[in-house]
């Protein structure tokens, strides 16, 4: 008897749920829509406002002379800044290519700000070590891509500082190794 009462309650519940669904369903017939006027024109869609902004590009880095003690090892332990080192920025765009050379200052620092390079083409650029002014430290290493070409890495922007008129990228630090003929005294 309890089973019949439970079954009856279950069927009644299903029946009430089905009726509630039918009662709340929208009517299937819709009123006809008026046809658009042949003289009515829709305004053009606005241009997207999220297009990337092209900014001029600047590239910075530092060149070191590695310690003779660590010749052949990828480390800057004991390294000193190398003044007068020549580095090259090379960009191979599909339309044009660009090449610029800079010399590092007394702190080994160099800075490029090419006139025609924007953020849209920066991914096609690399920076290479070219030459060292020192006969004792003149073997280019591939530390951070110096010998084979380092890709430009976007410098994080500090929200507290005043915005720069260019997008700053960094490469390196690069290093020249001590000359192989140079005796190294430990």
């Amino acid at each position: 008897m309890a089973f019949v009462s439970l079954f009856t309650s279950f069927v009644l519940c299903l029946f009430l749920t089905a009726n509630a669904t039918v009662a709340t369903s929208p009517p299937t017939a819709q009123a006809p829509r008026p046809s658009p006027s042949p003289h009515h024109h829709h305004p053009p869609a606005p241009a997207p406002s999220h297009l990337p902004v092209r900014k001029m590009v600047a590239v910075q880095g530092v060149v070191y002379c590695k310690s003779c003690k660590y010749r052949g090892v990828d480390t800057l332990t004991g390294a000193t800044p190398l003044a007068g080192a020549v580095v090259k920025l090379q960009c191979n765009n599909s339309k044009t290519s660009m090449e610029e050379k800079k010399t590092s200052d007394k702190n080994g620092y160099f800075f490029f700000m090419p006139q025609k390079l924007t953020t849209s083409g920066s991914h096609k650029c690399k920076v290479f070590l070219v030459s060292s002014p020192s006969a004792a430290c003149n073997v280019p290493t591939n530390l951070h891509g110096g010998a084979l070409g380092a890709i430009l890495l976007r410098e994080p922007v500090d929200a507290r500082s005043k915005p720069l008129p260019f997008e700053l990228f960094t490469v390196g630090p690069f290093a020249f190794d001590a000359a192989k003929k140079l005796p190294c005294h430990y």
Side-chain angles (χ1 to χ4, degrees):
M1 180 93 154
F3 174 76
V4 172
S5 175
L6 185 61
F7 179 75
T8 307
S9 295
F10 177 74
V11 170
L12 182 60
C13 183
L14 283 176
F15 178 75
L16 290 174
T17 304
N19 278 345
T21 303
V22 170
T24 59
S25 296
T28 55
Q30 295 180 353
R33 291 185 173 183
S35 61
S37 165
H39 302 292
H40 183 265
H41 296 284
H42 294 285
S49 61
H50 61 281
L51 293 175
V53 176
R54 290 182 182 186
K55 287 180 82 174
M56 297 308 290
V57 167
V59 182
Q60 69 179 354
V62 179
V63 182
Y64 289 95
C65 176
K66 288 176 46 182
S67 166
C68 181
K69 182 178 180 180
Y70 297 104
R71 182 174 30 213
V73 179
D74 278 346
T75 183
L76 290 174
T77 302
T80 55
L82 185 60
V86 177
V87 291
K88 171 178 70 172
L89 171 67
Q90 184 174 339
C91 302
N92 296 319
N93 194 323
S94 58
K95 293 179 183 177
T96 60
S97 17
M98 181 197 74
E99 186 176 298
E100 241 184 76
K101 291 182 181 175
K102 293 289 180 179
T103 303
S104 62
D105 67 11
K106 66 180 183 173
N107 299 311
Y109 180 78
F110 60 88
F111 184 81
F112 289 98
M113 193 159 160
Q115 296 299 312
K116 295 185 180 183
L117 180 60
T118 64
T119 51
S120 66
S122 61
H123 67 285
K124 302 264 186 180
C125 300
K126 290 185 177 183
V127 178
F128 300 84
L129 284 173
V130 176
S131 64
S132 167
S134 168
C137 189
N138 61 3
V139 179
T141 70
N142 201 40
L143 180 67
H144 302 120
L148 298 177
I151 59 170
L152 309 185
L153 301 173
R154 194 176 305 259
E155 191 67 25
V157 177
D158 184 1
R160 296 170 295 176
S161 64
K162 185 177 177 181
L164 298 171
F166 51 80
E167 192 75 36
L168 184 60
F169 289 82
T170 300
V171 292
F174 296 148
F176 282 92
D177 241 339
K180 293 178 182 175
K181 295 178 185 175
L182 184 71
C184 202
H185 304 287
Y186 293 95

